[in-house]
Amino acid sequence: MLSVTQNEPVEFAPTLLAKFADIVGRYPEGRHKSALLPILHEVQAHFGWLSVPAMDQVASYLKLEPIEVYEVATFYTMYFLQPQGKYMLEVCRTGPCCLVGAERIMEHLEDRLGVKEGEVTADGLFSWRGVECLAACGFGPVLQIGPEYTFYENLTEEKVDELLTNLKNNAGSQPLSANS
Amino acid sequence: MARKLLLANINVPGINTLEVYRQKGGYRAVEKALKTMTPDEVVEEVKKSGLRGRGGAGFPTGMKWSFLAKPEGVPRYLVCNGDESEPGTFKDRFLMTYIPHALIEGMIVSSYALGAKVSYIYVRGEMMPQIRILEKAIAEAKAAGLLGKNILGTGYDLELYVQPGGGAYICGEETALLESLEGKRGNPRLKPPFPAVSGLYGSPTVVNNVESIAATVPIINDGGEEYAKIGIERSTGTKLISASGNINKPGVYEIELGVPVEEFIYSDEYCGGIANGKRFKAMVAGGSSVPILPANLATKTAKGESRLMTYESLADGGFVSGSSMGSGGFIVFDEDQCIVRNTWNFARFYHHESCGQCSPCREGTGWMEKILHRLEYGHGSFSDMDLLVDVSKKIEGNTICPLGDASAWPVASAIRHFRDEFEWHVSNREESQIRNYGLAHYADPLEPLVQS
């Protein structure tokens, strides 16, 4: 669901606008709507999620009606319509991963982070959720972390603990996103 | 050792770079096609090869190409389907990660054959690392004059772009993919018109799977007839199989079509047998959408013949006792796995991924998930199995796209082959919450016939 409470105005930095222009250049003239999905990925990588003002700005940039942006953002599962933890851990929960222990990994994450699926930890660092097949079935269980969607494969409880510790230790030194 | 056409050089260090890829004979197909063949001759070679679409439908690629409308003055498009999302399938991810130039080369050859001047590779958004790899490979190819204006001085121009998806299984359906590429929700289109007549931006378009496009490279290099010599009957060439589940060596294997299923599971060249010394219970041969088979029907057809990894043999027996090659997503279940739980998991997947356009799928997938959930958690009744079959039959064939069928088949086949296990969940409600049903009459023979 779109967030109606968090609607601070946003402005796109020149670096982001340059990326938009590059993306629009991939399509024939008049077909700039094709740029919508890639541009929403860039916006989310920059801000961490898609607020209504951000989507409105995208609509105005691409000369679309805002609803054309909302309907796309709500259809596809990768777009976050609410703020998430700095690290959103997405665990594959589909059949083949479950054959090799994905459900155990999700229980372990919930236990370690102390938050339920979709919630954010008090320090704002982590959130997690189960997602459908990530096309890495032979390397399961797997999880991914945006905005670059780095994969962590063949997970065990120990590997998850190690990953959480590393992310926590690096949290201060790493930028919020790959683009900021 | 089986012949490898796509993954022959997969272990060569640096094969992901243009330099090493060319040293190993890469881009010969581009030189040959663009310099010595007409586009129609390229199409003809692909027809002769017998290559069938590797995304799941198995439709002959050359024939699909020959349907492309060619009105004067209208651009034509080739769109590569890299929206790999079918549970059990991860071969395209593997190919794009480790040998991206195989896809770029295939895109150039195929675009030339179809007369496309602009082509797109649509990759699911979650594969952002693969998108970066492809973008880098495209830049390398462009710098070497293999893309862009006047490729290799032949006068042929081609621009190639990578488009990320947004996270939606349905975009693997070709018309949903085109909608998504146009910046819209991934709702499949009514057909006709087919994309060959009206596809991307209303122009004639061919949509092909990553592996199909990569396979055009060896076809052009060695000729369609050479390619067709590999395999059995109408299952020609090699196929990438994604092997997952309870096996010793999960991974991506390139097989010559025709390998016996039993050999594929037990031989050390492939899956290396069932993991942890367990016994083999069931198999899904071609991704979650195809019917699940119990062990005894996985390795042998109902007629008692050895079942082979071919389009025909995997489908032998129809949906009564056979399955389908699908995308080659080969999932193996050991004796500890619960078929009811797995069926519920897959039903949830299809409910989650239904685009909501057609009511039989939108509502039916939800009902099936709900009924399977109560069966799995000990609240089911004996009438639920017939109810599930009834719902699945009312979805099948009644939707715009095949997602409806894909949701119905795994449920119907699980009940057909494992009804006793579903009934056990009703008659043993409490016990079913503590332990799984285990093996039954459908088990594998105690000793595998092929010793590894």
Side-chain angles (χ1 to χ4, degrees):
Chain A
M1 209 194 296
L2 301 184
S3 170
V4 289
T5 50
Q6 303 194 54
N7 42 19
E8 297 83 23
V10 299
E11 208 175 313
F12 296 145
T15 47
L16 204 52
L17 289 169
K19 281 186 183 178
F20 293 180
D22 176 57
I23 293 169
V24 170
R26 298 170 191 170
Y27 315 102
E29 215 185 318
R31 304 297 183 180
H32 50 274
K33 188 173 177 179
S34 282
L36 181 53
L37 273 76
I39 284 183
L40 288 179
H41 280 305
E42 293 295 343
V43 173
Q44 177 159 304
H46 196 85
F47 295 99
W49 68 294
L50 299 179
S51 68
V52 169
M55 286 190 268
D56 291 346
Q57 288 275 18
V58 170
S60 119
Y61 179 85
L62 287 175
K63 300 188 179 61
L64 303 173
E65 292 301 326
I67 185 69
E68 294 178 87
V69 180
Y70 305 157
E71 67 173 5
V72 161
T74 53
F75 182 84
Y76 296 96
T77 58
M78 291 177 73
Y79 301 120
F80 299 137
L81 305 174
Q82 303 286 334
Q84 308 295 327
K86 177 172 174 177
Y87 301 110
M88 168 53 126
L89 283 64
E90 298 179 301
V91 187
C92 175
R93 62 171 187 177
T94 313
C97 272
C98 287
L99 293 180
V100 290
E103 285 155 310
R104 264 202 337 269
I105 295 298
M106 285 191 281
E107 280 166 25
H108 186 71
L109 260 182
E110 178 167 345
D111 187 48
R112 276 287 185 274
L113 295 176
V115 291
K116 291 210 181 319
E117 185 170 5
E119 295 175 354
V120 184
T121 54
D123 57 10
L125 274 186
F126 295 103
S127 41
W128 72 277
R129 65 172 182 168
V131 293
E132 298 298 351
C133 188
L134 293 177
C137 320
F139 320 106
V142 294
L143 68 77
Q144 64 179 14
I145 306 177
E148 282 303 309
Y149 295 90
T150 320
F151 262 74
Y152 298 88
E153 302 176 337
N154 299 307
L155 293 173
T156 57
E157 277 96 336
E158 294 73 34
K159 282 193 191 172
V160 168
D161 288 345
E162 201 184 307
L163 173 64
L164 292 179
T165 308
N166 288 342
L167 290 174
K168 229 177 225 173
N169 292 342
N170 291 332
S173 59
Q174 276 185 358
L176 188 64
S177 78
N179 295 298
S180 55
Chain B
M1 271 301 255
R3 267 170 295 182
K4 302 223 186 308
L5 302 179
L6 301 178
L7 303 185
N9 296 319
I10 197 78
N11 292 320
V12 174
I15 195 68
N16 59 333
T17 64
L18 180 75
E19 194 191 343
V20 176
Y21 183 74
R22 284 195 102 164
Q23 278 167 14
K24 286 288 165 186
Y27 288 102
R28 270 188 302 138
V30 170
E31 302 237 1
K32 183 172 174 184
L34 271 56
K35 288 183 176 167
T36 70
M37 298 169 80
T38 65
D40 285 347
E41 284 169 350
V42 177
V43 175
E44 206 45 46
E45 284 307 314
V46 174
K47 270 191 184 166
K48 271 193 241 164
S49 75
L51 173 68
R52 294 169 68 171
R54 301 300 196 217
F59 192 81
T61 304
M63 200 185 293
K64 192 174 190 177
W65 286 9
S66 66
F67 293 154
L68 186 69
K70 294 177 178 167
E72 281 291 314
V74 178
R76 305 191 279 273
Y77 294 102
L78 171 64
V79 178
C80 173
N81 185 344
D83 190 58
E84 186 173 55
S85 315
E86 171 83 6
T89 316
F90 48 100
K91 64 188 177 70
D92 298 338
R93 177 184 194 260
F94 187 84
L95 194 89
M96 292 188 284
T97 306
Y98 296 107
I99 189 157
H101 284 286
L103 176 58
I104 311 294
E105 181 172 13
M107 284 300 288
I108 300 170
V109 169
S110 306
S111 299
Y112 173 73
L114 299 169
K117 306 275 184 203
V118 178
S119 296
Y120 296 95
I121 305 175
Y122 182 101
V123 180
R124 62 180 295 184
E126 292 92 337
M127 294 196 194
M128 214 52 92
Q130 285 68 32
I131 290 170
R132 304 279 182 250
I133 290 168
L134 288 172
E135 284 173 342
K136 186 165 168 258
I138 288 171
E140 280 184 307
K142 200 166 180 177
L146 292 158
L147 278 171
K149 292 255 176 259
N150 192 17
I151 295 172
L152 301 175
T154 60
Y156 176 59
D157 306 336
L158 176 66
E159 293 297 336
L160 186 53
Y161 300 106
V162 186
Q163 175 84 355
Y169 168 73
I170 189 62
C171 291
E173 195 278 340
E174 62 179 14
T175 60
L177 186 151
L178 295 175
E179 287 286 295
S180 182
L181 180 47
E182 291 181 4
K184 302 178 216 158
R185 296 161 57 99
N187 286 354
R189 296 175 182 170
L190 266 174
K191 292 166 282 278
F194 288 92
V197 174
S198 177
L200 183 63
Y201 310 130
S203 292
T205 303
V206 165
V207 183
N208 283 142
N209 172 258
V210 169
E211 183 188 349
S212 311
I213 287 176
T216 62
V217 174
I219 290 169
I220 294 308
N221 279 336
D222 306 332
E225 277 168 22
E226 276 305 304
Y227 187 87
K229 283 180 191 162
I230 304 171
I232 298 174
E233 294 171 21
R234 290 184 56 239
S235 297
T236 61
T238 66
K239 171 97 189 79
L240 299 181
I241 304 291
S242 320
S244 68
N246 309 119
I247 47 177
N248 282 318
K249 292 167 54 193
V252 175
Y253 296 100
E254 183 171 10
I255 62 161
E256 290 186 22
L257 287 169
V259 173
V261 170
E262 187 163 3
E263 182 183 336
F264 185 71
I265 295 175
Y266 290 101
S267 151
D268 271 343
E269 197 181 336
Y270 306 113
C271 303
I274 310 298
N276 305 313
K278 300 279 185 186
R279 288 177 62 197
F280 174 34
K281 179 172 181 176
M283 154 198 102
V284 170
S288 61
S289 303
V290 310
I292 187 169
L293 289 179
N296 55 356
L297 281 175
T299 51
K300 293 236 184 311
T301 66
K303 288 173 266 174
E305 292 162 357
S306 172
R307 200 182 286 281
L308 310 176
M309 302 281 278
T310 64
Y311 289 91
E312 294 77 16
S313 183
L314 284 169
D316 189 291
F319 279 6
V320 176
S321 62
S323 183
S324 172
M325 170 68 87
S327 59
F330 195 91
I331 314 167
V332 175
F333 301 73
D334 73 18
E335 59 190 293
D336 291 343
Q337 302 304 330
C338 174
I339 300 299
V340 179
R341 188 168 187 81
N342 183 71
T343 311
W344 162 58
N345 186 300
F346 283 167
R348 184 193 61 192
F349 173 82
Y350 290 105
H351 180 214
H352 184 264
E353 300 300 335
S354 172
C355 81
Q357 198 173 201
C358 313
S359 20
C361 171
R362 180 186 63 236
E363 304 301 327
T365 52
W367 296 341
M368 291 198 298
E369 182 195 349
K370 195 172 160 188
I371 300 164
L372 283 157
H373 184 272
R374 72 178 179 231
L375 279 164
E376 166 63 7
Y377 286 95
H379 308 294
S381 57
F382 284 107
S383 59
D384 279 347
M385 278 65 86
D386 288 339
L387 181 57
L388 279 169
V389 172
D390 186 45
V391 173
S392 79
K393 288 228 178 313
K394 284 171 180 154
I395 301 173
E396 191 180 346
N398 293 321
T399 54
I400 288 177
C401 88
L403 190 141
D405 302 339
S407 74
W409 294 337
V411 173
S413 61
I415 292 173
R416 187 180 310 121
H417 297 299
F418 301 90
R419 187 179 269 266
D420 49 350
E421 190 164 338
F422 284 82
E423 287 173 348
W424 181 79
H425 274 247
V426 180
S427 56
N428 300 57
R429 294 172 191 281
E430 275 130 45
E431 198 182 350
S432 72
Q433 301 307 298
I434 308 162
R435 73 171 188 91
N436 284 336
Y437 186 68
L439 284 175
H441 61 87
Y442 40 75
D444 59 334
L446 259 177
E447 292 299 321
L449 301 176
V450 176
Q451 295 294 339
S452 54

